[in-house]
Amino acid sequence: MHYSPLNKMIREAVASGVKEIVLNNVLGQRFIGNGVRGDAKITINGVPGGDLGMFMSGPECEVFGNAEHAPGNTMDYGSLIIHGSAGDAVAHSMRGGKVFVKGSIGYRGGIHMKEYEGKRPILAIGGTSHAFLGEYMAGGLILVLGIGQEPTIQDRGIGSGIHGGEIVIRGDVDEKLLGVGAKKVEFTEEDLKRLTPVIIDFCERFDIDPSQFLDTNYSRIIPASSRPFAGKYTWE
Amino acid sequence: MSLGSVPLKYKISIDRDQCMKCMRCVDNCSYGVYRIEDDKILIDSRKCTACHRCISMCPRDAINLQEKPVDYRSHPLWTAEAREDVINQARSGKIILAGMGNARDYPVIFDRLVLDACQVTNPSIDPLREPMELRTYIGKKPAKLEFTKNNGDIDLTTKLAPNLKLDTPIMIGHMSYGAISLNAQLSLAKAVAKTGTFMGTGEGGMHEAIYPYQDHTIVQIASGRFGVDIDYLERGAAIEIKVGQGAKPGIGGHLPGEKVCADVSCTRMIPLGSDAISPAPHHDIYSIEDLAQLVRSLKEATNWEKPVFVKIAAVHNVAAIAAGIARSDADAVVVDGFKGGTGAAPKVFRDNVGIPIEAAIAAVDEKLNDQGIRNEVSLIASGGIRNSADITKSIALGADAVYIGTASLIALGCRVCGNCYRGLCPWGIATQKPELVNRIDPEIGAEHVANLIKAWTLEISELMGAAGLNSIESLRGNRERLRGYMLDQGLLDVLKIESVGA
């Protein structure tokens, strides 16, 4: 089935008040949940195509399979729960809600995520991430647990150009993997307290024992400045 | 060792016999050129930007401005500008930031193109007497139409793609709230609603004051995705993906934190005072396939009810790039030439990167025609369009419509001083300071901008009538109506026009 009629059916169903949708045998259909508002729950059995939940505002999509390019792209609110891995640009420019990926993600995860007032997006990853995680990040939280990974992340460019938000990575992160504008700070008990609900939420969704993650063995990466380009220019 | 100061850019003088010390210059100058001391108006010319606010407000015409009052030893290569840029960067070690469009003395191709008029063999058309069709539809056009007969009725079975309906081929390009003030944007919005055309919101979301005019807006989604959510996408009459901008091809933009006031923060959906950084590329578009995915994603999100435009800067390979975009389900390609304006751009980009819009339109139109897909996509030209002649020539070279930017700001008072990035615009345009923004009355501003669009529309119909054309479709891509005057053969070949006399 082509993505267009499929998405039309989803939109019409959600608009008519349907609260639960199950999609079976999904095979690369793009844009599922795209721009959908409301509080419906969409279960996806299979592998959805690119831009899953783009511009989505409210619903929850749970994927039993991997996801493709840019799930959670410019997502406004709602959640994506992915029981597998995902491609590049996961949660690109996401401004609210949460994206949980049980496995690993590709390049440019959480790039340019941003927050505003009450909206604080969360990207949590069970495995690892490729390069440029949280590049140009302007707000929100990225959490990488590194399950089955040692060290958690080996790719470079973490948080390059970051000017808001925080990236929290299990274990130590080699300084040379940090991008320009990012700095590593200590992960405190206070931080743990703050993040505990996110860790527990993530683990519960994937049936993982959270107790192994409830310590301060994390690296916290934050912006060196909220104005990374302030000193770059002179006037004509 | 000190490098000392460079000479004044502008020298302000007051004719003291004429001056009545009304203090309007003191009140109007937001750069602090004037001050009052012991009942005397003192002048600090070094702060002057040549914005002309004081001159335009002086009731006695007592103020005079002289550019470059101090000479350097003249030199054809080491111009004053070249020397001063070196001094500036030797001092600062930084990138030079500049405003408005390309300030290099490149030849203007528009000024080397002349239009045609009827004489004897076919009569010109009098627009006063005959209807002139300037209505323009922007969007995909079907290659053919299919009908079914139904008991004497004829029904169209071809599914038509959504189009924007313009009463004039003039639209206002994307200038975001943040880059310009709300009163400036509101003036533009009211003007396009009055004149049956459209304006771009720029990348910066939409302020609720613009909502009443949303049916006349094209919302923009750029690499920073500021202010973009599903409500915003649904508000616009069309959606534009900004890939590049003529004033600074290949790079992103930074709205400095000091311009992010409470309202700007709200429409962009970012924290107060934080830099709004648009990266150079869209990080979900690393290929033409990714672009197609974003175009379709926007269409899916808005139920395939809105045309999606893709805006690129005019660069060397623009025709091939536009042809790729045309295959991505985009409804229009916007090509922005290297003379296009901006609130701020690194000077080295503004003055050196990209190609002129005239050559870009001709090349894109030609390529799309060659590939048989010109009907699948509309072509919007922008970047340095100054008058109705430039618009008429753009359409004759192959554009469907144009975006104007700087011209619409001049209609609001802008005098092209090029200091937009400082946030102190005394005309209330490129600033967020309430006392300056209030200098624009959106009702009056809208009237001026609407007047400009109306006047140009009238002139276009006169030019068309003179050429014996009564419909804009007959002008579009009609290079026979253009001749090149003192253009070299290479450029004549690119523009696919003949020389004058031929």
Side-chain angles (χ1 to χ4, degrees), chain A residues 86-175:
Chain A
D88 297 339
V90 175
H92 175 298
S93 287
M94 180 187 177
R95 64 173 71 261
K98 62 187 180 190
V99 173
F100 287 178
V101 182
K102 187 180 184 187
S104 296
I105 62 167
Y107 294 82
R108 316 190 297 278
I111 192 165
H112 220 306
M113 264 166 65
K114 47 182 80 68
E115 65 187 59
Y116 177 62
E117 292 186 341
K119 279 191 176 163
R120 190 162 179 266
I122 298 171
L123 167 63
I125 300 144
T128 184
S129 154
H130 274 309
F132 312 119
L133 177 72
E135 188 177 40
Y136 279 117
M137 190 174 176
L141 164 71
I142 298 177
L143 173 69
V144 191
L145 293 178
I147 300 169
Q149 307 287 331
E150 189 57 45
T152 296
I153 293 186
Q154 302 192 44
D155 275 32
R156 67 190 175 89
I158 300 171
S160 51
I162 182 173
H163 52 291
E166 58 180 337
I167 305 171
V168 175
I169 298 169
R170 186 85 181 139
D172 191 29
V173 173
D174 193 338
E175 286 276 354

Side-chain angles (χ1 to χ4, degrees), chain A residues 142-225:
Chain A
I142 298 177
L143 173 69
V144 191
L145 293 178
I147 300 169
Q149 307 287 331
E150 189 57 45
T152 296
I153 293 186
Q154 302 192 44
D155 275 32
R156 67 190 175 89
I158 300 171
S160 51
I162 182 173
H163 52 291
E166 58 180 337
I167 305 171
V168 175
I169 298 169
R170 186 85 181 139
D172 191 29
V173 173
D174 193 338
E175 286 276 354
K176 72 173 195 282
L177 299 181
L178 300 187
V180 177
K183 74 170 178 193
K184 191 167 75 173
V185 295
E186 195 193 345
F187 186 83
T188 62
E189 284 290 346
E190 198 61 23
D191 294 324
L192 178 64
K193 211 168 125 193
R194 208 161 39 81
L195 262 58
T196 296
V198 179
I199 297 168
I200 290 177
D201 187 16
F202 182 87
C203 291
E204 277 178 355
R205 294 307 303 244
F206 297 121
D207 219 5
I208 300 167
D209 172 19
S211 63
Q212 55 182 320
F213 299 113
L214 295 177
D215 56 34
T216 55
N217 182 23
Y218 291 93
S219 302
R220 182 164 176 259
I221 293 156
I222 59 167
S225 151

Side-chain angles (χ1 to χ4, degrees), chain B residues 8-13 33 43-49 69:
Chain B
L8 294 174
K9 273 201 175 76
Y10 313 103
K11 185 169 170 53
I12 291 285
S13 53
V33 172
I43 301 166
D44 182 356
S45 287
R46 195 165 284 283
K47 291 180 174 162
C48 178
T49 63

Side-chain angles (χ1 to χ4, degrees), chain B residues 26-46:
Chain B
V26 183
D27 294 341
N28 272 281
C29 183
S30 52
Y31 295 108
V33 172
Y34 302 96
R35 67 179 193 278
I36 188 94
E37 243 174 59
D38 297 335
D39 199 34
K40 187 171 186 226
I41 298 173
L42 300 184
I43 301 166
D44 182 356
S45 287
R46 195 165 284 283

